[in-house]
Amino acid sequence: MTGAAGRVGAVGRSVVEDLRQRGLPVRAMVRSDDERAEALRATGAEVVLGDLTRVDDVAEALAGCRRVYFGMGVSAQYLQAALTTAAVARAAGRLEVFVNMSQLTVSELGLSDTGESHQHRQQWLVEQVLAWSGLPVVELRPTVFLENPLFRVGLSSIPVDGTIRLPLGGARTSPVAAADVAAVVAQVLAEPQPHLGRVYELTGPRSLDGPGLAAEVSAALGRPVRYTDVPLEEWIDHDLRPLELPAHVFQHISTMARLHAENRYDRRADGVEQVTGRPATGVGDFVRRNADRFAI
């Protein structure tokens, strides 16, 4: 498993924990030997250090593995890392499944599209290569995570002034919880055969506009929460830029904000329920489970 110590929503760590609870052996590849690596070891997983862009590191991590999950955070090195992992997996042979974490917007891309982020384009290219590779691939395409900086920033004003600040205009969105994505990954890795060759689009249970998001959050918290629509450029400069994200990540998140305003995230898919057998987590349920984040 690659990207096991990822930060956004801790999908990799949750997958490791799930698989270990099932009694399955797990080898987790991480970049740094820090407290996140120690937490993985505490589950009983084997932890190896390495760089996903280095063939020898990836070959060492994949040696003897029959099921591979590639998940990497938004990075300018994403394309190199993904293709390195795929090349090593193909050379090793005898693979039962290669689970690739992509993104929902990729389904709308083609050769000539130029409006997406650099990260979206890299993810599209990786999907093309995996389709040619002959590997037993399962593609997972989550929409925006509820833990993504876009929503983390947008919801951060709730405990301050009881508002959600996002540049949606009249558009709608169906964010997905990282825990649901992790549950899908774990289930596919645990029992890959029914899923081989499939593409699963992962969204929340409802596509909501700004006032709809506020209504769900209000019901969850038991107090009024308003939606404040913010012009896109103002939101980018005032709300997003202070996070001081790396340039590649900033370009990706700001593009996602623009695509939201263009209503490109008005999607509803049932991939979470198809794989796990339970409905996806709604915004209200997510807020209830993390109520301490939104306390006044």
Side-chain angles (χ1 to χ4, degrees):
M1 173 180 300
T2 67
R7 295 184 182 277
V8 176
V11 171
R13 186 183 67 206
S14 297
V15 173
V16 171
E17 292 172 351
D18 188 321
L19 295 175
R20 291 299 302 136
Q21 287 170 5
R22 299 174 192 236
L24 295 171
V26 177
R27 180 180 298 149
M29 184 178 182
V30 300
R31 183 70 182 267
S32 302
D33 195 354
D34 54 19
E35 68 280 358
R36 292 172 295 162
E38 283 302 314
L40 294 172
R41 291 190 183 97
T43 70
E46 176 188 354
V47 176
V48 297
L49 301 180
D51 183 335
L52 282 168
T53 66
R54 293 178 55 87
V55 170
D56 50 348
D57 286 358
V58 175
E60 180 181 353
L62 266 58
C65 291
R66 303 292 297 278
R67 304 175 189 181
V68 173
Y69 163 59
F70 179 81
M72 184 180 185
V74 177
S75 168
Q77 294 182 302
Y78 174 89
L79 181 62
Q80 182 180 357
L83 298 190
T84 298
T85 304
V88 172
R90 188 173 187 276
R94 300 181 61 192
L95 204 65
E96 294 178 4
V97 67
F98 187 105
V99 182
N100 180 51
M101 180 70 73
S102 187
Q103 192 172 61
L104 188 59
T105 308
V106 170
S107 65
E108 302 173 350
L109 287 182
L111 287 171
S112 60
D113 293 283
T114 58
E116 271 62 22
S117 73
H118 304 319
Q119 180 72 23
H120 286 138
R121 176 54 59 184
Q122 290 186 41
Q123 288 170 315
W124 182 84
L125 287 168
V126 169
E127 284 202 18
Q128 307 314 300
V129 172
L130 289 176
W132 308 330
S133 70
L135 289 168
V137 176
V138 177
E139 292 285 1
L140 304 182
R141 294 176 179 165
T143 185
V144 60
F145 282 41
L146 278 161
E147 295 85 353
N148 184 284
L150 178 70
F151 273 86
R152 191 170 73 241
V153 170
L155 300 179
S156 66
S157 53
I158 292 174
V160 177
D161 59 9
T163 65
I164 297 171
R165 288 176 50 87
L166 285 170
L168 297 181
R172 304 170 76 89
T173 185
S174 55
V176 68
D180 287 344
V181 177
V184 170
V185 175
Q187 183 60 34
V188 173
L189 288 172
E191 299 179 30
Q193 193 61 38
H195 309 289
L196 296 181
R198 299 287 301 274
V199 176
Y200 291 107
E201 296 189 339
L202 312 177
T203 74
R206 289 170 293 282
S207 189
L208 302 166
D209 60 9
L213 289 170
E216 284 216 4
V217 173
S218 297
L221 295 177
R223 68 177 192 269
V225 172
R226 308 182 313 280
Y227 173 69
T228 299
D229 192 59
V230 187
L232 177 62
E233 292 304 321
E234 177 184 333
W235 187 86
I236 290 173
D237 289 338
H238 180 274
D239 297 52
L240 184 64
R241 199 174 298 280
L243 295 184
E244 298 183 342
L245 299 170
H248 179 85
V249 180
F250 177 82
Q251 193 267 348
H252 178 60
I253 302 301
S254 58
T255 300
M256 290 180 77
R258 175 176 56 79
L259 295 178
H260 266 83
E262 295 172 2
N263 208 32
R264 293 278 296 280
Y265 281 84
D266 183 12
R267 301 281 291 275
R268 162 73 179 88
D270 59 0
V272 172
E273 188 165 5
Q274 287 182 47
V275 177
T276 67
R278 60 170 177 76
T281 302
V283 173
D285 290 332
F286 175 81
V287 168
R288 288 185 191 93
R289 294 174 188 176
N290 299 276
D292 57 319
R293 300 187 195 178
F294 308 106
I296 298 175

